[in-house]
Amino acid sequence: MPLPPGRSASPATETVLNEAFDRILRRNPGEPEFHQAVKEVLETLAPVLDRRPELLDAKIIERITEPERQIIFRVPWQDDKGEIHVNRGFRVEFNGALGPYKGGLRFHPTVNLGVIKFLGFEQIFKNALTGLNIGGGKGGSDFDPRGRSDDEVMRFCQSFMTELHRHLGEHTDVPAGDIGVGAREIGYLFGQYRRLVNRWEAGVLTGKGIGWGGSAGRPEATGYGSVLFTAEMLRLRGEDLEGQQVVVSGSGNVSIYTVEKAQAMGANVVTVSDSDGYVVDEKGIDLALLKEVKQVRRGRVGDYAELRGPSARYVPGGRVWEVPADIAFPSATENELNSDDAVTLIRNGVKAVSEGANMPTTPDAVRLFQEAGVAFGPGKAANAGGVAVSGLEMAQNAARVSWTFEKVEAELTRIMKAVHDKCHETAERYGSPGDYVKGANIAGFERVSDAILAQGLT
Ligand code: NDP
């Protein structure tokens, strides 16, 4: 399957990239999300490979697209009635050239090896962009926590960690949360790890509770970071968030703190959603109520609409992208915003799109946004705030100190500006000003490639 011709690729580079992608398709069958993520990166790399043929000689493309290690394991557990269930666990340690493998764990019924590989592959570049020393990895299970009791979730987490612990360590592999894995799950996972290794090794997991090794500002980091990245994109266009109408998808960790930060910066956020539908709230989302429904009651956005009263309307099965907005924050899951949605958003005058989730925008939709001149922040850059603060959590754990929320937020703000500027400057240097997709991919790729080259054939 030929990649669309890169704008400045020499025929030799073009051939290498096409052959590499064909080989990836052949050797990784049945993994469409992984193919999509790799294709999106390879399509943008021609200019850097043209300028730096030593990267082709060193077979960096082949090496960076092959995980260093892939672990698949059985996770048996018992529900509250005593019935036995068997799930599948995954950890893909994709690239460790820049530091310990780092990336979240996802518990969702749609998880399979291809999904974890797509997420792990993206994570390499994202982690490189933060400027911190963290490698790329990702893991999870097809376990569905929805409707499970705390005890069931605990038993599942204990069984999951009973196998995974032998592959982890503060200098080896450091997981965090993702979809379906929040503070509760990280607590159960850490407890089981501690019991198995007989060490209080805080730096082995991030996203821990504040009182026992977690970092202030970690729950907020991804959502806040996504808004901060958007503020930088808008600043270059002489705008800010004040008074902008905002749509957010999802209602989990990333979405809630996207709402919080966007509101703090003066935006009017009118939607949140879940996999059953969305709510549109004319008066603006009531953040305290949203947190109560989602974080305390573990409820649905339909419950929010019911409790909120007449200003909120619940739309079962609908998509937030049909609500007119200046700025859109896809913050739920992959491929949730397609080309039809992009057409609708563009018709309604959207100015900026920031990917809080990983790969939420389909390739066709990304192209439409870019052609329409919409400022588009790809997930690798826009949602890097979460892993950046995870890196800061590791630093605090290593030094046995705890920073204040204010200090973490100031660091996060500095890092998101640096990530933005790096993407912007790289896109310009490679002849595509304003193309944050190309800027993020090339900047991340160059940093990881240089580390791989320096470390010899690994
Ligand atoms: P949560 O589990 O807290 O929330 C996920 C939200 O997305 C829920 O509202 C959920 O709805 C919705 N959702 C999940 N899967 C689907 C689906 N298949 N179809 C429709 N809606 C779905 O996860 P997070 O907020 O942590 O993660 C959201 C996204 O952000 C993911 O793409 C994740 O990889 C990415 N991300 C997260 C980071 C973090 O720090 N947490 C860091 C960087 C990226 P429902 O309840 O109905 O399932």
Side-chain angles (χ1 to χ4, degrees):
M1 185 205 282
L3 296 164
R7 257 169 278 181
S8 58
S10 71
T13 303
E14 206 76 72
T15 305
V16 172
L17 285 170
N18 282 327
E19 285 177 2
F21 189 59
D22 275 342
R23 202 165 37 244
I24 287 158
L25 290 179
R26 261 200 324 276
R27 296 181 72 229
N28 303 274
E31 298 178 356
E33 293 87 359
F34 179 55
H35 302 161
Q36 182 182 336
V38 170
K39 184 164 187 268
E40 188 258 355
V41 170
L42 296 192
E43 273 174 9
T44 58
L45 294 184
V48 66
L49 296 171
D50 276 351
R51 282 192 206 175
R52 298 189 55 189
E54 77 274 16
L55 299 178
L56 289 178
D57 295 342
K59 296 280 194 299
I60 297 293
I61 298 296
E62 288 80 349
R63 289 158 72 185
I64 213 168
T65 51
E66 181 72 17
E68 291 181 10
R69 196 172 296 106
Q70 308 181 52
I71 302 146
I72 303 180
F73 52 100
R74 181 176 63 200
V75 190
W77 59 281
Q78 263 181 314
D79 68 20
D80 288 343
K81 296 192 207 99
E83 193 181 330
I84 291 173
H85 300 262
V86 177
N87 284 98
R88 192 169 286 174
F90 302 91
R91 187 72 184 166
V92 173
E93 297 176 337
F94 221 118
N95 193 295
L98 290 179
Y101 309 108
K102 182 94 198 81
L105 297 171
R106 176 178 291 190
F107 292 169
H108 195 271
T110 55
V111 164
N112 56 42
L113 182 61
V115 167
I116 298 299
K117 278 167 69 178
F118 121 63
L119 291 163
F121 182 71
E122 296 254 305
Q123 198 83 43
I124 304 171
F125 303 91
K126 180 188 311 188
N127 293 4
L129 281 174
T130 64
L132 303 173
N133 281 112
I134 38 183
K138 200 81 187 189
S141 173
D142 56 1
F143 171 70
D144 188 356
R146 206 164 137 184
R148 291 293 173 192
S149 69
D150 283 353
D151 283 351
E152 289 173 324
V153 170
M154 180 182 74
R155 285 196 291 275
F156 176 81
C157 288
Q158 290 180 338
S159 181
F160 184 86
M161 187 53 94
T162 300
E163 171 55 33
L164 190 64
H165 85 280
R166 67 186 91 252
H167 306 287
L168 306 183
E170 61 175 325
H171 302 298
T172 310
D173 186 350
V174 182
D178 191 84
I179 290 178
V181 178
R184 173 182 63 170
E185 291 74 19
I186 293 292
Y188 295 148
L189 291 163
F190 185 79
Q192 184 70 354
Y193 182 85
R194 184 173 65 76
R195 195 173 170 201
L196 288 164
V197 302
N198 194 28
R199 272 199 313 273
W200 203 88
E201 188 186 327
V204 74
L205 286 170
T206 59
K208 299 180 293 297
I210 302 286
W212 51 277
S215 174
R218 176 59 185 92
E220 293 84 354
T222 308
Y224 276 29
S226 175
V227 177
L228 290 165
F229 189 92
T230 305
E232 287 302 309
M233 294 198 296
L234 291 174
R235 193 174 56 77
L236 291 191
R237 296 171 170 226
E239 293 205 52
D240 58 28
L241 277 116
E242 186 69 43
Q244 308 273 13
Q245 173 111 337
V246 164
V247 289
V248 174
S249 67
S251 50
N253 170 269
V254 177
S255 312
I256 287 172
Y257 293 104
T258 297
V259 174
E260 183 164 296
K261 190 66 173 174
Q263 288 182 341
M265 294 180 89
N268 181 32
V269 185
V270 291
T271 69
V272 285
S273 70
D274 57 31
S275 48
D276 298 330
Y278 76 85
V279 61
V280 55
D281 192 333
E282 282 163 21
K283 286 194 186 154
I285 296 293
D286 177 338
L287 186 65
L289 178 60
L290 179 66
K291 285 186 177 177
E292 165 71 21
V293 169
K294 294 300 302 181
Q295 297 179 332
V296 181
R297 304 186 189 189
R298 292 185 182 271
R300 315 290 300 159
V301 296
D303 304 334
Y304 169 95
E306 236 168 65
L307 291 163
R308 176 69 161 145
S311 75
R313 183 166 53 89
Y314 179 59
V315 185
R319 297 158 81 78
V320 298
W321 319 124
E322 61 206 34
V323 177
D326 300 308
I327 306 172
F329 287 96
S331 308
T333 194
E334 55 269 18
N335 293 327
E336 57 164 314
L337 194 171
N338 63 28
S339 50
D340 291 342
D341 303 320
V343 168
T344 307
L345 281 164
I346 292 165
R347 199 177 41 231
N348 287 333
V350 75
K351 298 177 205 168
V353 177
S354 174
E355 293 191 318
N358 286 310
M359 211 168 74
T361 318
T362 63
D364 289 355
V366 175
R367 220 158 290 133
L368 288 169
F369 286 135
Q370 290 184 324
E371 282 164 12
V374 174
F376 180 80
K380 283 186 203 80
N383 71 38
V387 75
V389 173
S390 275
L392 303 181
E393 183 173 332
M394 291 162 73
Q396 293 169 72
N397 292 154
R400 296 184 186 273
V401 296
S402 296
W403 297 351
T404 60
F405 183 88
E406 289 70 28
K407 176 164 174 164
V408 174
E409 197 183 15
E411 262 307 281
L412 172 66
T413 306
R414 183 190 65 73
I415 291 173
M416 292 314 297
K417 180 171 181 351
V419 170
H420 168 275
D421 292 353
K422 184 83 191 161
C423 297
H424 189 262
E425 172 268 313
T426 306
E428 241 171 29
R429 187 155 45 89
Y430 281 95
S432 302
D435 185 341
Y436 290 93
V437 175
K438 192 173 263 184
N441 289 346
I442 294 181
F445 177 75
E446 282 196 303
R447 181 165 179 233
V448 181
S449 300
D450 288 340
I452 295 175
L453 277 183
Q455 292 172 26
L457 186 51
T458 56

PDB file of all heavy atoms in Angstrom, residues 197-214:
ATOM      1  N   VAL A 197       7.021  -7.456  45.718  1.00  0.00           N
ATOM      2  CA  VAL A 197       8.475  -7.207  45.675  1.00  0.00           C
ATOM      3  C   VAL A 197       9.037  -6.848  47.050  1.00  0.00           C
ATOM      4  O   VAL A 197      10.249  -6.753  47.217  1.00  0.00           O
ATOM      5  CB  VAL A 197       8.856  -6.091  44.662  1.00  0.00           C
ATOM      6  CG1 VAL A 197       8.367  -6.442  43.267  1.00  0.00           C
ATOM      7  CG2 VAL A 197       8.307  -4.743  45.095  1.00  0.00           C
ATOM      8  N   ASN A 198       8.138  -6.617  48.010  1.00  0.00           N
ATOM      9  CA  ASN A 198       8.569  -6.231  49.361  1.00  0.00           C
ATOM     10  C   ASN A 198       9.445  -4.986  49.358  1.00  0.00           C
ATOM     11  O   ASN A 198      10.469  -4.922  50.036  1.00  0.00           O
ATOM     12  CB  ASN A 198       9.308  -7.401  50.045  1.00  0.00           C
ATOM     13  CG  ASN A 198       9.456  -7.152  51.550  1.00  0.00           C
ATOM     14  OD1 ASN A 198       8.628  -6.456  52.152  1.00  0.00           O
ATOM     15  ND2 ASN A 198      10.514  -7.683  52.155  1.00  0.00           N
ATOM     16  N   ARG A 199       9.026  -4.006  48.547  1.00  0.00           N
ATOM     17  CA  ARG A 199       9.727  -2.718  48.484  1.00  0.00           C
ATOM     18  C   ARG A 199       8.701  -1.624  48.287  1.00  0.00           C
ATOM     19  O   ARG A 199       7.763  -1.803  47.520  1.00  0.00           O
ATOM     20  CB  ARG A 199      10.663  -2.672  47.247  1.00  0.00           C
ATOM     21  CG  ARG A 199      12.050  -3.199  47.458  1.00  0.00           C
ATOM     22  CD  ARG A 199      12.993  -2.679  46.353  1.00  0.00           C
ATOM     23  NE  ARG A 199      12.450  -2.810  45.010  1.00  0.00           N
ATOM     24  CZ  ARG A 199      12.572  -3.901  44.238  1.00  0.00           C
ATOM     25  NH1 ARG A 199      13.227  -4.950  44.687  1.00  0.00           N
ATOM     26  NH2 ARG A 199      12.047  -3.930  43.036  1.00  0.00           N
ATOM     27  N   TRP A 200       8.903  -0.504  48.950  1.00  0.00           N
ATOM     28  CA  TRP A 200       8.022   0.650  48.705  1.00  0.00           C
ATOM     29  C   TRP A 200       8.674   1.500  47.624  1.00  0.00           C
ATOM     30  O   TRP A 200       9.402   2.442  47.897  1.00  0.00           O
ATOM     31  CB  TRP A 200       7.816   1.461  49.981  1.00  0.00           C
ATOM     32  CG  TRP A 200       6.546   2.270  49.934  1.00  0.00           C
ATOM     33  CD1 TRP A 200       5.306   1.869  50.309  1.00  0.00           C
ATOM     34  CD2 TRP A 200       6.402   3.618  49.457  1.00  0.00           C
ATOM     35  NE1 TRP A 200       4.388   2.873  50.102  1.00  0.00           N
ATOM     36  CE2 TRP A 200       5.036   3.958  49.580  1.00  0.00           C
ATOM     37  CE3 TRP A 200       7.261   4.557  48.933  1.00  0.00           C
ATOM     38  CZ2 TRP A 200       4.532   5.199  49.219  1.00  0.00           C
ATOM     39  CZ3 TRP A 200       6.759   5.798  48.560  1.00  0.00           C
ATOM     40  CH2 TRP A 200       5.408   6.110  48.713  1.00  0.00           C
ATOM     41  N   GLU A 201       8.421   1.071  46.388  1.00  0.00           N
ATOM     42  CA  GLU A 201       9.140   1.644  45.245  1.00  0.00           C
ATOM     43  C   GLU A 201       8.210   2.619  44.536  1.00  0.00           C
ATOM     44  O   GLU A 201       7.555   2.272  43.552  1.00  0.00           O
ATOM     45  CB  GLU A 201       9.537   0.475  44.330  1.00  0.00           C
ATOM     46  CG  GLU A 201      10.450   0.807  43.200  1.00  0.00           C
ATOM     47  CD  GLU A 201      10.653  -0.430  42.285  1.00  0.00           C
ATOM     48  OE1 GLU A 201      10.655  -1.576  42.781  1.00  0.00           O
ATOM     49  OE2 GLU A 201      10.773  -0.209  41.072  1.00  0.00           O
ATOM     50  N   ALA A 202       8.144   3.856  45.080  1.00  0.00           N
ATOM     51  CA  ALA A 202       7.130   4.808  44.603  1.00  0.00           C
ATOM     52  C   ALA A 202       7.198   5.036  43.102  1.00  0.00           C
ATOM     53  O   ALA A 202       6.173   5.163  42.435  1.00  0.00           O
ATOM     54  CB  ALA A 202       7.305   6.140  45.328  1.00  0.00           C
ATOM     55  N   GLY A 203       8.426   5.056  42.549  1.00  0.00           N
ATOM     56  CA  GLY A 203       8.587   5.434  41.140  1.00  0.00           C
ATOM     57  C   GLY A 203       8.172   4.375  40.151  1.00  0.00           C
ATOM     58  O   GLY A 203       8.380   4.545  38.949  1.00  0.00           O
ATOM     59  N   VAL A 204       7.546   3.282  40.588  1.00  0.00           N
ATOM     60  CA  VAL A 204       7.173   2.225  39.646  1.00  0.00           C
ATOM     61  C   VAL A 204       5.844   2.480  38.942  1.00  0.00           C
ATOM     62  O   VAL A 204       5.567   1.892  37.896  1.00  0.00           O
ATOM     63  CB  VAL A 204       7.163   0.849  40.351  1.00  0.00           C
ATOM     64  CG1 VAL A 204       5.934   0.719  41.255  1.00  0.00           C
ATOM     65  CG2 VAL A 204       7.201  -0.268  39.333  1.00  0.00           C
ATOM     66  N   LEU A 205       5.014   3.334  39.530  1.00  0.00           N
ATOM     67  CA  LEU A 205       3.723   3.687  38.914  1.00  0.00           C
ATOM     68  C   LEU A 205       3.519   5.182  39.117  1.00  0.00           C
ATOM     69  O   LEU A 205       3.913   5.722  40.155  1.00  0.00           O
ATOM     70  CB  LEU A 205       2.560   2.957  39.606  1.00  0.00           C
ATOM     71  CG  LEU A 205       2.369   1.468  39.349  1.00  0.00           C
ATOM     72  CD1 LEU A 205       1.326   0.919  40.326  1.00  0.00           C
ATOM     73  CD2 LEU A 205       1.893   1.215  37.919  1.00  0.00           C
ATOM     74  N   THR A 206       2.881   5.836  38.158  1.00  0.00           N
ATOM     75  CA  THR A 206       2.504   7.235  38.392  1.00  0.00           C
ATOM     76  C   THR A 206       0.981   7.361  38.351  1.00  0.00           C
ATOM     77  O   THR A 206       0.292   6.464  37.875  1.00  0.00           O
ATOM     78  CB  THR A 206       3.156   8.192  37.375  1.00  0.00           C
ATOM     79  OG1 THR A 206       2.759   7.802  36.054  1.00  0.00           O
ATOM     80  CG2 THR A 206       4.667   8.177  37.491  1.00  0.00           C
ATOM     81  N   GLY A 207       0.513   8.511  38.887  1.00  0.00           N
ATOM     82  CA  GLY A 207      -0.931   8.675  39.049  1.00  0.00           C
ATOM     83  C   GLY A 207      -1.368   8.168  40.420  1.00  0.00           C
ATOM     84  O   GLY A 207      -2.544   7.882  40.645  1.00  0.00           O
ATOM     85  N   LYS A 208      -0.385   8.066  41.344  1.00  0.00           N
ATOM     86  CA  LYS A 208      -0.704   7.586  42.696  1.00  0.00           C
ATOM     87  C   LYS A 208      -1.467   8.672  43.465  1.00  0.00           C
ATOM     88  O   LYS A 208      -1.465   9.845  43.080  1.00  0.00           O
ATOM     89  CB  LYS A 208       0.609   7.256  43.435  1.00  0.00           C
ATOM     90  CG  LYS A 208       1.431   6.149  42.760  1.00  0.00           C
ATOM     91  CD  LYS A 208       2.713   5.831  43.501  1.00  0.00           C
ATOM     92  CE  LYS A 208       3.732   6.933  43.484  1.00  0.00           C
ATOM     93  NZ  LYS A 208       4.257   7.295  42.156  1.00  0.00           N
ATOM     94  N   GLY A 209      -2.060   8.281  44.603  1.00  0.00           N
ATOM     95  CA  GLY A 209      -2.773   9.247  45.445  1.00  0.00           C
ATOM     96  C   GLY A 209      -1.784  10.242  46.036  1.00  0.00           C
ATOM     97  O   GLY A 209      -0.622   9.909  46.285  1.00  0.00           O
ATOM     98  N   ILE A 210      -2.288  11.461  46.286  1.00  0.00           N
ATOM     99  CA  ILE A 210      -1.393  12.540  46.746  1.00  0.00           C
ATOM    100  C   ILE A 210      -0.719  12.173  48.071  1.00  0.00           C
ATOM    101  O   ILE A 210       0.445  12.473  48.282  1.00  0.00           O
ATOM    102  CB  ILE A 210      -2.198  13.853  46.953  1.00  0.00           C
ATOM    103  CG1 ILE A 210      -2.901  14.265  45.661  1.00  0.00           C
ATOM    104  CG2 ILE A 210      -1.291  14.965  47.464  1.00  0.00           C
ATOM    105  CD1 ILE A 210      -2.024  14.835  44.616  1.00  0.00           C
ATOM    106  N   GLY A 211      -1.445  11.501  48.959  1.00  0.00           N
ATOM    107  CA  GLY A 211      -0.899  11.202  50.284  1.00  0.00           C
ATOM    108  C   GLY A 211       0.128  10.080  50.286  1.00  0.00           C
ATOM    109  O   GLY A 211       0.777   9.828  51.295  1.00  0.00           O
ATOM    110  N   TRP A 212       0.275   9.365  49.204  1.00  0.00           N
ATOM    111  CA  TRP A 212       1.211   8.222  49.208  1.00  0.00           C
ATOM    112  C   TRP A 212       2.058   8.159  47.937  1.00  0.00           C
ATOM    113  O   TRP A 212       2.180   7.143  47.290  1.00  0.00           O
ATOM    114  CB  TRP A 212       0.477   6.897  49.486  1.00  0.00           C
ATOM    115  CG  TRP A 212      -0.733   6.640  48.627  1.00  0.00           C
ATOM    116  CD1 TRP A 212      -1.992   7.104  48.824  1.00  0.00           C
ATOM    117  CD2 TRP A 212      -0.775   5.863  47.425  1.00  0.00           C
ATOM    118  NE1 TRP A 212      -2.818   6.667  47.810  1.00  0.00           N
ATOM    119  CE2 TRP A 212      -2.099   5.900  46.949  1.00  0.00           C
ATOM    120  CE3 TRP A 212       0.175   5.125  46.697  1.00  0.00           C
ATOM    121  CZ2 TRP A 212      -2.502   5.240  45.789  1.00  0.00           C
ATOM    122  CZ3 TRP A 212      -0.237   4.468  45.537  1.00  0.00           C
ATOM    123  CH2 TRP A 212      -1.559   4.536  45.110  1.00  0.00           C
ATOM    124  N   GLY A 213       2.670   9.300  47.634  1.00  0.00           N
ATOM    125  CA  GLY A 213       3.664   9.291  46.558  1.00  0.00           C
ATOM    126  C   GLY A 213       3.211   9.901  45.252  1.00  0.00           C
ATOM    127  O   GLY A 213       3.993  10.012  44.312  1.00  0.00           O
ATOM    128  N   GLY A 214       1.937  10.285  45.166  1.00  0.00           N
ATOM    129  CA  GLY A 214       1.457  10.903  43.928  1.00  0.00           C
ATOM    130  C   GLY A 214       1.877  12.357  43.834  1.00  0.00           C
ATOM    131  O   GLY A 214       2.358  12.936  44.809  1.00  0.00           O
TER     132      GLY A 214
END
